Amino acid sequence: MNLVLSITFLIMSLAMVVVFVRLVKGPSLPDRVVALELIASIMVGMIGVHAIYTQSSSFIDVAVVMALTAFLAAIGFARFVEKGGQRDD
């Protein structure tokens, strides 16, 4: 079981690096917003895997709160872009 969790952490960490590159290099603001949302989703997954690893249910609460916060941030970014925020032309 520990091997599976270690491989999962490794894959999620690699995904985080790739998404961070997209965040920095993204050609437009919507690409960066999607990258930020994906980073939040990966973090929620990592917290969930950590909860399984430590067998502590309190980390599940942290993951839920982080997912809700990320959802609200995504709505805020979408409104900003919809209202004609910063444009990368």
Side-chain angles (χ1 to χ4, degrees):
M1 184 72 163
N2 285 338
L3 178 64
V4 172
L5 292 175
S6 297
I7 291 171
T8 304
F9 273 125
L10 178 68
I11 291 172
M12 287 185 161
S13 299
L14 290 174
M16 187 76 75
V17 169
V18 171
V19 173
F20 185 75
V21 168
R22 173 52 57 195
L23 177 68
V24 171
K25 195 177 176 182
S28 66
L29 182 63
D31 290 331
R32 290 184 173 106
V33 171
V34 169
L36 279 174
E37 184 65 25
L38 188 54
I39 286 174
S41 298
I42 293 171
M43 286 301 299
V44 169
M46 290 179 92
I47 292 170
V49 171
H50 184 71
I52 293 169
Y53 180 73
T54 60
Q55 297 178 351
S56 174
S57 63
S58 62
F59 284 111
I60 301 298
D61 297 335
V62 174
V64 168
V65 169
M66 185 164 180
L68 290 173
T69 304
F71 174 71
L72 291 175
I75 290 175
F77 281 130
R79 283 251 170 130
F80 176 73
V81 171
E82 182 183 68
K83 298 274 187 205
Q86 177 186 355
R87 297 283 179 203
D88 293 336
D89 291 330

